[in-house]
Each structure stands twice: as structure tokens, then as C-alpha cells.
Amino acid sequence: MKAKVAPALLAALLATTSPAFADTLIDNVRGTTIGVNGEVDTFTGLLFDDGGVVKRLIRKGEKAPKPRKEYQYHVDGQGRVMLPGMIDAHAHVMSLGLAALSLDLSDTTSLGQALDRIAKFTAEHPDRPWITGRGWNQELWKLGRFPTAAELDAVTGGRPVWLERVDGHAGWANSAALKAAGVTAASKDLAGGKIERAPDGTPQGVLVDAAMELVNVRVPAPRPEDRDTAFATAQQILFKRGVTAVADMGTNIEDWQAFRRAGDANRLYVRVMAYAAGPEQMVLIGGPGPSPWLYQDRLRLNGVKLYLDGALGSRGAWLKAPYADAPGTKGLPQLSQTQLGNMMSRAAMDGFQVAVHAIGDEANTTVIGAINDLSATYKGDRRWRVEHAQIVDPKDFARFASSGAIASMQPVHQTSDRLMAEARLGPDRLAGAYAWKSLKTAGVRLAFGSDAPVETADPWAGLAAAISRQGPDDQPAGGWQPQERLSPAQALAAYTADAAYAGFAEQRFGRLAAGQRADFVLVDTDPLTANAAQIRATKVLETWIGGARVWSADPAMETSAGDKR
């Protein structure tokens, strides 16, 4: 009769025959990271332990670690460029995944092309009670107006259709969706919102900002399994672009539960710094305060996301003076100054970090004023965040800096918006538009992101825009407001070390240094020496998180996330 060995004893016996360590050395790389003081640090190799934490950088001329004595595994970097994993400091993770699984209009260049795609998608999904999607932009269509419900009716039949504008601040409904939501000529505009109407008051199909909620509440919510699929999809999208961490702006309890399910099942790889969708969700998720870091620094509820105004494209951004192309409006403030202060105070008293969406110059003046007022009461390291900070009155640059607020900005918005911004603002207000260099020079810390799915989750396009102020068409010549260009090192810092700082994560990830998580990318282009076109064309070869390869451009090397060999 064979003797049985207890599982615990078997594990102990196996441990005695295995190496006492399982460190990994990746060498033969052209490594670059941002140092603790913002300086550029270069290296040729990286040694990290079995827990995915960096032990040391190997610099040119230094003695290499000894195999089997100092490391167990070896990876030849093949002379490729190694950078810290990119951090997207402002994105909407679940929306990114759901958008990839629904109707995408983001690349349509005319109303006719969009309608053709809508008709095709509707026909291909007869089982869906609602047709949903996003990404339309009447500015790219050169329409000169918003699209209408009647135009949707012509290609969608009797099923409700609800399509978000590219910036998420307006929605386009067909007549069936308007009927389901009870939106009629008698419906009143909600505070902070607008129903676009015909001269006789009839709703024309587009609802802006707060008015979107009239339809949103009627759209069937994604099921938990839909969210799980969407999150898995979003992670793959991010990994392919070299993004290893993300600030999720507007997390609700359903999103949080999906993140937790992924963590519990060991399928959470990207690092998520979550900001709850308003005070109610903040308390529902976090309770008495921010959560601890969970799943080996892969998930934390940092704070709350508040909306002070809307978007420039839908004329919801709150301006000091009327819109140049719509003199009858200054935008759609979502909160009064008192409401904003109360919400920020409610979060700050329990230690939650506050991130406020502010696009227009009046919105930015208001939020900086609120931060200065609250700082007298709420001391300590608060790291107030202003999300977007797209139009800032130059008189407020110094106030912005003295408040200690972080400017969480998205470089690709400048290249996407420039013609629209000129029309909305006129020439006199452009000096404070997307003013990265001016804010940086004033002493404001910058954190860069994409606002995905509003824009593609592509840090390389963002880096290219940040140093050139030009789009993928290399226009305009010399760059738009070129005095606002950043140096390559400043731009890289905003996508790595400073983006980590903006999420209270700088002691955990964002740089490659001893004690930091081994989150890095191997790419074919050095963003510190390449031009904008070369950076934009960067190919991500491998993405690693916590010392594990989670994505590879080489199908032969692509493995399940977590395999580092």
C-alpha cells in the first residue's frame, strides 16, 4: 500500500528543492525613467523579484548580476526601448470596454456615413431592445447643427436608439427613445441641461448634459456579465497601447463590483485608481473613507469625481463671456458655487481626494476659488485635481499654482478640438486654451490622460501632441499656439511619475526604481529623441505589470497574463 503525503508536507518538500528566490533580470535594453525629482534617468537592465517589485537598475558600466546567484530568470531585451508603464490619468474604463462592444461612430466623417453604419448595426442586432452607441461629432461632419431624431428614424425603425456624442456631454435619440423617456414639447429643461428644440418647441433629438438623464434612466443597464466582458476588453485595449495604470473617472458601484470580481478571480491586471461618480457613489463604495490598495496595488478608491460644467463641443463648458459662435449662452454650469463647495467639503472631511471636471474659464476660476477657500479648513496633502482645465484665464495661472491643484489634462483634446475651439472662443481667449506650458511654468503639476473613450486610449498620440501641438496630419505648420509645447521629458513625466503622484501612487508605481512595481513597456521608439510623427507611430512590443508580461505584439510570445517567462 502506497503511503500518502499530506499536502502541506508535500509543499514543504518541494520548497526545499526549489530556488530560494525567483528574481528576473531583463538586460540589453535602452531604459529611461523619470527620477524622483523629475530628472531623466537611463539604464541598461532591470532586476525585479518574484513579487514583481524592482530591486535595482543596472546602468551602463556597472557589474551585471550573477546568474543563479542573483537571479533565476533572464530575458534579453534585444536592444529595445524600456519605459515605465504609461498611466492614463483620466479615462472611463467601463465605458471604454462597453463602447468597444457597441456601435462606434467615432471615425465617421459625415452624417450620411454615420446613418449607414447605424442602419447596418441595427439590422445586425435584431435581439437588442435598445440600440446604443457613441462617438458622433457634428463638427467632423461639418454639419453646422446637431443631428435630428427624424434622421435617425429613417434608418432605425421603431426601436429606441440612444447615441452619445464623442465627449459624452450630449446624446442623440430617435423618436422611439424620446417617447420612451417621455420627452415632449412640454418637457422642461433640467438645471444644467438643455433639450434641443425646433422653433415650435418640439424636441429635435439631441439632449445636452443634465438633460441626457431623461433618456439614460430608460436605457437597460448592462448586466454584471456584460460589465465583466467590457472590463476584460478594456484591459486588452489599454495593454496594447502600453497603459499599465488608469484613473477611472466616474466609477459607480456596478463598475467597482466588476473590478472586484476581476480581482477575486485573478483577472485584474491593470492598476485602477477609482474616482466615484459623485458623493452618493463615493459613500456607497468607500463608506467612511478611501479604500486601501487592493490586489497588490491594482485597485483603490481614491476619491470622487464632480462635474462643474459641460463640454466645449456641445457648448456646455462654462465661460466668462458668451460663446463667439452662440452669443446667447455662456454654457451650462452643473453646480452653483455653494453646491460645489458643499460637495467638495463633504468628500474632504472623510479624506477622499476631490477631482472636479472644469473646462470653461469661468468653471476653472470657480473651482480654484473653492480649493483656496477649503484649504483653510482641510489641511494636509489633499492633491485637489482639476480635470481637463482646457480654458483657463491667464490671470488664473498663478492662482492655479498657489492652490496646489493638479491639472489633469488630455493633450489629444487640443489637436482634436483646435478648429472647434477657435469657433467657440474667438481669437481673444485662445491664450488660455490647452495651456500646458504656461501652467507648468507657473508651477502646476500636470498629469496627462486620454479621456477614453472620448479619445483613443493612446499615450503615444498624446506625447506627440504635447511636444508639437500638431495633429496626425502635421497641422498646423509650426504647431497651434506653439508657445505651449512641452519638452519630451516633461511630457513623459506627465504620463508616468506625475500621473502616479496625481493618484497618490508615487511610492508604488510610475517610475522604474528600487521598491517600485515592475510595470514597464518595451517599445521601438525613444520618445525623448524621436520627432512627433515617429512618437505617434510608436509600436508597443510588450507590456508588463508587476513583473509579468500581460501583452505582446508577437503572437508567438503572447501568453496568458501573469506569465513572465
Side-chain angles (χ1 to χ4, degrees), residues 496-525:
T496 56
D498 289 343
Y501 178 90
F504 284 96
E506 76 277 9
Q507 299 301 320
R508 301 169 187 273
F509 52 86
R511 297 181 298 114
L512 291 174
Q516 293 263 309
R517 294 288 183 180
D519 300 350
F520 57 87
V521 292
L522 295 172
V523 297
D524 67 348
T525 304

Side-chain angles (χ1 to χ4, degrees), residues 126-141:
D127 56 323
R128 298 193 180 189
W130 281 65
I131 298 298
T132 59
R134 65 174 318 282
W136 60 270
N137 186 347
Q138 82 282 2
E139 297 294 325
L140 292 180
W141 298 346

Side-chain angles (χ1 to χ4, degrees), residues 539-558:
K539 183 177 181 181
V540 177
L541 305 172
E542 295 183 18
T543 302
W544 294 58
I545 299 178
R549 183 190 295 116
V550 296
W551 189 84
S552 173
D554 182 356
M557 293 186 65
E558 193 167 2

Side-chain angles (χ1 to χ4, degrees), residues 53 62 82 129 218 272 315 419 477 489 503 523-524:
V53 176
E62 291 184 349
M82 177 185 284
R218 301 296 181 183
V272 179
R315 297 187 184 89
L419 295 178
V523 297
D524 67 348

Side-chain angles (χ1 to χ4, degrees), residues 22-383:
D23 294 353
T24 298
L25 172 68
I26 300 184
D27 61 5
N28 189 21
V29 298
R30 292 178 286 152
T32 297
T33 188
I34 300 298
V36 68
N37 295 316
E39 74 281 5
V40 173
D41 191 5
T42 60
F43 56 94
T44 60
L46 182 74
L47 183 69
F48 56 85
D49 65 22
D50 195 42
V53 176
V54 177
K55 296 184 74 171
R56 61 173 285 209
L57 301 183
I58 294 89
R59 294 177 174 81
K60 187 175 181 179
E62 291 184 349
K63 190 175 182 180
K66 297 180 180 179
R68 293 182 298 280
K69 290 187 176 181
E70 297 181 71
Y71 64 89
Q72 178 70 15
Y73 303 112
H74 174 251
V75 176
D76 182 357
Q78 301 175 15
R80 295 175 289 184
V81 175
M82 177 185 284
L83 302 168
M86 297 293 109
I87 300 175
D88 194 319
H90 183 116
H92 308 279
V93 176
M94 197 60 67
S95 294
L96 175 63
L98 289 170
L101 302 173
S102 63
L103 175 58
D104 180 14
L105 301 174
S106 59
D107 62 348
T108 57
T109 56
S110 71
L111 175 61
Q113 182 186 18
L115 291 173
D116 287 345
R117 187 172 298 179
I118 295 165
K120 183 174 184 290
F121 188 90
T122 301
E124 290 173 346
H125 296 89
D127 56 323
R128 298 193 180 189
W130 281 65
I131 298 298
T132 59
R134 65 174 318 282
W136 60 270
N137 186 347
Q138 82 282 2
E139 297 294 325
L140 292 180
W141 298 346
K142 297 179 173 56
L143 204 57
R145 61 172 175 81
F146 282 125
T148 67
E151 288 161 338
L152 267 184
D153 293 343
V155 298
T156 57
R159 269 187 296 167
V161 178
W162 179 235
L163 307 170
E164 286 192 4
R165 191 180 185 275
V166 63
D167 56 16
H169 287 270
W172 178 19
N174 68 352
S175 296
L178 293 175
K179 182 178 180 180
V183 178
T184 68
S187 300
K188 296 185 182 299
D189 288 342
L190 302 179
K194 182 181 180 182
I195 301 171
E196 294 291 328
R197 304 174 189 268
D200 65 358
T202 303
Q204 288 192 301
V206 167
L207 289 76
V208 181
D209 284 321
M212 296 172 65
E213 193 61 17
L214 296 171
V215 177
N216 282 336
V217 296
R218 301 296 181 183
V219 179
R223 302 168 302 170
E225 53 266 42
D226 296 331
R227 291 182 183 276
D228 293 343
T229 300
F231 182 46
T233 301
Q235 289 195 85
Q236 289 302 310
I237 292 170
L238 295 170
F239 298 158
K240 185 176 181 179
R241 300 287 187 176
V243 176
T244 58
V246 60
D248 185 46
M249 287 293 162
T251 310
N252 61 33
I253 186 63
E254 291 84 7
D255 300 335
W256 179 260
Q257 293 291 62
F259 300 154
R260 291 297 305 263
R261 286 193 297 273
D264 291 344
N266 197 30
R267 293 194 298 267
L268 173 60
Y269 307 112
V270 71
R271 303 193 190 279
V272 179
M273 299 168 283
Y275 293 81
E280 291 185 5
Q281 294 292 323
M282 175 189 79
V283 174
L284 189 60
I285 297 169
S291 76
W293 284 97
L294 304 169
Y295 309 111
Q296 296 182 311
D297 296 339
R298 282 180 166 83
L299 179 63
R300 182 179 189 249
L301 177 69
N302 281 0
V304 65
K305 164 78 178 298
L306 305 175
Y307 281 92
L308 184 52
D309 67 347
L312 201 61
S314 50
R315 297 187 184 89
W318 188 16
L319 303 180
K320 293 185 174 184
Y323 278 77
D325 60 354
T329 182
K330 295 182 182 179
L332 296 170
Q334 302 297 295
L335 301 168
S336 69
Q337 188 168 357
T338 298
Q339 289 172 321
L340 175 67
N342 288 343
M343 287 186 178
M344 294 174 69
S345 180
R346 171 65 187 87
M349 70 172 58
D350 284 338
F352 291 100
Q353 187 185 13
V354 177
V356 182
H357 167 117
I359 288 181
D361 51 6
E362 184 64 28
N364 278 282
T365 293
T366 301
V367 71
I368 293 302
I371 289 170
N372 284 329
D373 290 344
L374 291 171
S375 293
T377 301
Y378 300 106
K379 307 292 186 180
D381 188 5
R382 294 289 172 170
R383 302 191 196 180

